Structures are given as C-alpha cells and as structure tokens.
Amino acid sequence: MADRAFSLVPAGLAVAILLLLLGPLAALGLSFQGFTLSGAELAALRFTLLQAALSAVLALLLAVPVARALARRRFWGRGLLISTLGAPFLLPVIVAVLGLLAVFGRAGWVNSGLATLGLPEFSIYGLQGVVLAHVFFNMPLAVRMILQGWQAIPAERFRLAASLGFSPAATRRHLERPMLREVLPGAGLVIFVICLTSFAVALMLGGGPRATTIELAIYQALRFDFDLPTAARLALLQFALCAVAYLVATRISLPSGFGAGQGRLGGPPAPKGWRCVVDGVAIAAVALFLALPLFAVVLNGLPGLAALPASVWAAAGRSLLIALASTALSISAALILALAAARGKGWPALAATLPLAASSLVLGTGLFLILQPYFRPSSLALPVTMTINAALSLPFAFRILAPEARTLYADYQRLGSSLGMAGVAWLRWVVLPRLSRPLGFAAGLVAALSMGDLGVIALFAGEGEATLPLLVQRLMGAYRMGAAASAALLLVVLSFALFWGFDHWGRRYAVT
C-alpha cells in the first residue's frame, strides 16, 4: 500500500505544478479587459523584443571567436577559464549590475579613461546598458554552448581535412559553418528567452518611457499605480511572448551531418601567426570583461563589510531561509519527476519544463491578484517567493538529474526488483547514494539562483520583508553606494558558499 502511494506522488506533483501555473493565469484572465495597448505599453513591447534580440545577436557574435579560440588553443589555466564561464549564471543579477556600474557607470573606470582622453562619456542607462548587462550574463553561456559544438565534431574530420590540404577557409566552410548553423539558432533562442524575462536588469539600468520592458511595466503598474487590469493585461502579454519563444526553442533543431567518430581527443587546427594573436586577444578580452565587474564589487565592498547595519544581516537571513526552502522544494520535485521519467514516461518531463513558459513577474502578478483581496501581500512575501523560486528552478534541476536517473534505472532496476526493493527502501539504498553527485550540483545551482533572485519579492515585500538582493537595490536607489557594494559582496559570498557547500556535499558522499 505504501509503495502504491509512493508511485502516485509524481502524478500528484505534476498536478500541483499545473495548478501553480494555471491558477495565476486564470486570475490574470479574470482581470483581463482586452488587449488594447496604450502607446506606452506598445513602446514597452517594442523595447522588450528589441533588447532581447540585440542581446542574443551580440552575445553570439562575441561568443563565436572566443569559443573557436578555446577549442583550438591549449594553455595553462584553460580548464579554469572554461569553468569560470559558468560563474555569471550563478552571480546575482543585482551584484553584476553594481559591478558594471562601477566599471561603465558615470563615475566608472571606463568613463574616467574616456574623460582623460577627451572623448564623450558612455551612458550605461537605457538600451545600451540593458544590452551590455545581458551580454555580460549570456555571452559566457553562448561560449559554452558553441564550444560544445566544436568539441562534438569528431577529431577524425579535422585530421582528414588536414590530410586533404584544406586551407583554414575551407575547414571553416566544410566543418565549422555547418556546426554553427546547427548550434547558433538554439543558443540564440535560449538567450532571447532569458532576456525576455530579465526584470532586475531593466529595473536597474532601464526605466523611462523609451527603456521600459513589459516586466518593468508590470512592476510599475502594481507597485506604483495599483492598476490591476493593466498589470493583468501586460502579464498575459508577457506569458504569450515567453510561451511562443519556448515552443519555438524546443522545436528548432537541425540535424548534424558529421556522424560518429572514434572518440579520440582533438579539435580544430591551431594556426600560427596573426590568427594566434587574434585568439589570444579574444580570450584575454572575455576574461577581462568578466573579471573587472567582479573585481570592482570586491574592491568597493570590502571596506564597509565589517560595518554593515543590522538590516543587511536580517535581509541576509531571510535570503538564506528562502534559498534553503526553495532548494528543498525544487530538488525534491525534480528527483521525483526524474525517477518517474526514467521509467519511460513522457509526462514528467513535460511537467518539469512547463515553468519555463512563465516568469516570476507573471506568476507573481497572478498570485498577487488571487491573494490581495484576502491577505496583506507583504505577509506572504516569503512563502510566495519560496514557491515561485522553486518552480522556476525546477527545469534546471530536472535537466541535471534526468540523465543520471535514466542510467540508474537501467543499471539497477532489475536487481532492485529481484530483491523486492521499492519505494522508500529503493530511494534510501540505491537512489540517494548513487545520485548524490548530481543532487549536490543541482541543489547548489538552485540555492545560488534563489539567493540572488530579485523578481516576485519586489512585488510582495514591504520594508520588513526585504531579501538581500532587494535591500541592495534599495540602497542603490538611495545612492548609498558604499553600503550597497558591501551588501552585494556579502550576497556574492553567500551565493557561492551555498553552491560550493551543496556541490561539495554531493561529491563527498557520491557512490562510485
């Protein structure tokens, strides 16, 4: 009986996820009063699409030469640099924005250098600032995706091209361009979807009638105007954009024409001369671009770290509470659905990836409409944020666990059945020990993402419910940049400590 109840858990969880998505959407639909958009709302729609498209295109254009250089060059620290390319994904958005302001802001290092040379200053606010921040976050992701494409080309193809006397241009035409045609559309759509739902960047660097995204307009309609019909209309529009982009992204896949190789290590040829210099410049430029904002946060935040006010530590405690609770919810759900998917069922994967079609502002707006008539929204700020953070990080955790769960099921299912092992016993003695490593990595990723989230909490929180990212944003809005930098440094330390702690736990107790 217990085992049967255990087997019903994935179905119940899938229903809960569906209700979590449909409930807010239904509330938005009930408040919907037509899709007649005002001039300001049309401008927000145009800006949202423009900044997402520009960010995706620029990220890909800059990532291609960097990925090519990393694919064909071997140097000391290469592995560390490739691993570091994942850091911006874990970095809280508010911290990266603060670092970019220190480098590219009005009184930043770049503008100080331009003033010394007598050149006009660079304004980080508006379209150019939003695109710059998105490129900072997403260009490393594009590099990793394109680098995987280069590494997927069998080494024998490059050796054959060399034996046939292919020039670098011929190698690019016959080997590299077909791979790029396969990889770039999918990578571009992933970045486009990420930029569609980027609220914190637009909040800090956008604003004004010509630099407002749909999500920022939703926030303004709720927090400043309390215009619920407008917020509902914009949230439905945002959901429609994300859903369409997600559906396109799941279907765009061009077949590879390279076939399988023999698994030998190798890569594209490493030409010498000026191409070696170009590769070196590309690698150095991306390393500098990623390192400078982080260095600026550390440099500006260290002096005031020991004198942070009590409100910062209270906000840090709330952020830790939300991160740990979101991690527990998300990892539990991802593990249950991954184990169900490992048995050959298709609906668990669909349930786990459904949250990708929504954003925190869309779900938060719907829940705000549901709860506001009966509760004070700020009193539910923490549990609502925990729930939405867990739901939105579920697809990432599921993608990490699902392949390992399929391997586990194929290797141990028959043995477990012959021993009569199922339910809790199967979970305790087989699943948890052998999935410890991916569980730790997924938990660290979810905890870091939740720790740095500045989305739904901005809709619900009052003065006494602010998390650390929201408090950093408020300090910046009050022009207390020193305190903001110190609080941001604390946020970075806590985020990466959570990731390292969970990942280390997973690797330490992994059964091999």
Side-chain angles (χ1 to χ4, degrees):
M1 193 69 162
D3 290 341
R4 183 179 179 184
F6 190 82
S7 66
L8 294 177
V9 171
L13 180 59
V15 172
I17 294 171
L18 189 61
L19 291 177
L20 179 62
L21 296 177
L22 293 182
L25 290 177
L28 294 172
L30 291 175
S31 300
F32 180 61
Q33 297 182 357
F35 256 131
T36 303
L37 300 178
S38 66
E41 292 165 356
L42 285 172
L45 173 60
R46 286 193 295 269
F47 182 81
T48 300
L49 295 174
L50 176 62
Q51 60 84 20
L54 284 177
S55 300
V57 170
L58 283 176
L60 292 179
L61 288 177
L62 294 174
V64 169
V66 178
R68 179 190 290 118
L70 289 172
R72 64 189 185 185
R73 303 293 172 186
R74 298 294 183 270
F75 54 90
W76 183 86
R78 176 180 177 273
L80 177 62
L81 176 59
I82 293 175
S83 299
T84 306
L85 290 174
F89 189 73
L90 299 175
L91 189 68
V93 175
I94 193 70
V95 175
V97 170
L98 191 61
L100 290 171
L101 284 171
V103 178
F104 297 97
R106 182 170 300 172
W109 301 342
V110 170
N111 278 322
S112 297
L114 292 175
T116 302
L117 298 174
L119 299 174
E121 70 174 21
F122 170 78
S123 175
I124 196 173
Y125 297 101
L127 176 62
Q128 60 272 21
V130 172
V131 171
L132 175 68
H134 284 159
V135 170
F136 175 84
F137 282 109
N138 296 301
M139 188 260 290
L141 173 64
V143 171
R144 293 290 295 267
M145 297 174 73
I146 298 170
L147 179 60
Q148 289 178 2
W150 249 293
Q151 293 173 338
I153 301 175
E156 292 80 12
R157 303 298 185 271
F158 290 112
R159 294 193 178 99
L160 178 61
S163 66
L164 294 175
F166 276 24
S167 65
T171 301
R172 286 195 299 271
R173 182 168 63 253
H174 294 290
L175 292 179
E176 296 179 349
R177 287 179 187 172
M179 178 274 296
L180 291 175
R181 284 196 297 269
E182 179 182 352
V183 173
L184 290 184
L189 274 172
V190 168
I191 296 172
F192 182 82
V193 172
I194 292 173
C195 295
L196 279 182
T197 59
S198 177
F199 166 69
V201 170
L203 178 65
M204 301 305 303
L205 300 178
R210 293 189 297 178
T212 297
T213 62
I214 295 176
E215 293 214 333
L216 185 54
I218 295 170
Y219 173 74
Q220 292 168 346
L222 274 182
R223 292 291 293 186
F224 299 109
D225 303 329
F226 203 70
D227 187 348
L228 300 183
T230 296
R233 181 171 63 250
L234 291 172
L236 285 174
L237 177 61
Q238 176 73 359
F239 174 76
L241 289 177
C242 294
V244 170
Y246 169 68
L247 289 174
V248 174
T250 57
R251 283 164 173 74
I252 186 164
S253 177
L254 298 179
S256 173
F258 297 110
Q262 298 178 7
R264 296 177 181 175
L265 296 176
K272 303 185 183 299
W274 64 270
R275 291 186 181 87
C276 182
V277 176
V278 170
D279 288 349
V281 170
I283 293 171
V286 72
L288 194 65
F289 179 58
L290 298 178
L292 279 181
L294 297 178
F295 178 71
V297 170
V298 174
L299 187 66
N300 296 333
L302 273 178
L305 194 59
L308 285 172
S311 59
V312 173
W313 296 105
R318 287 188 286 271
S319 290
L320 284 170
L321 175 64
I322 289 174
L324 294 175
S326 299
T327 301
L329 289 173
S330 183
I331 294 302
S332 299
L335 180 60
I336 292 170
L337 293 174
L339 292 175
R343 298 182 177 93
K345 303 179 186 297
W347 56 264
L350 176 62
T353 54
L354 273 178
L356 288 175
S359 70
S360 61
L361 263 293
V362 170
L363 295 179
T365 302
L367 289 175
F368 189 94
L369 295 175
I370 293 173
L371 299 172
Q372 185 266 335
Y374 310 103
F375 303 96
R376 184 167 56 91
S378 60
S379 65
L380 298 175
L382 299 189
V384 168
T385 302
M386 293 173 190
T387 304
I388 293 183
N389 283 355
L392 294 181
S393 59
L394 174 61
F396 301 105
F398 177 82
R399 293 293 178 88
I400 294 171
L401 295 177
E404 302 288 345
R406 283 195 295 269
T407 302
L408 174 73
Y409 190 80
D411 292 344
Y412 293 97
Q413 188 271 337
R414 291 184 181 178
L415 177 61
S417 297
S418 66
L419 295 175
M421 187 178 293
V424 176
W426 167 261
L427 181 68
R428 178 181 178 183
W429 298 108
V430 179
V431 173
L432 293 181
R434 282 161 179 80
L435 292 187
S436 176
R437 188 185 301 273
L439 278 171
F441 177 73
L445 178 65
V446 172
L449 291 176
S450 182
M451 189 74 192
D453 179 69
L454 179 60
V456 67
I457 190 67
L459 291 180
F460 280 80
E463 290 298 324
E465 298 82 22
T467 58
L468 195 50
L470 183 57
L471 186 61
V472 173
Q473 186 266 328
R474 290 176 177 176
L475 290 171
M476 294 173 65
Y479 298 100
R480 297 174 59 186
M481 302 306 290
S486 298
L489 180 58
L490 176 63
L491 178 57
V492 171
V493 172
L494 292 176
S495 298
F496 281 94
L498 282 175
F499 175 77
W500 180 86
F502 279 114
D503 186 47
H504 177 73
W505 167 83
R507 287 185 281 107
R508 179 178 180 182
Y509 292 101
V511 174
T512 56

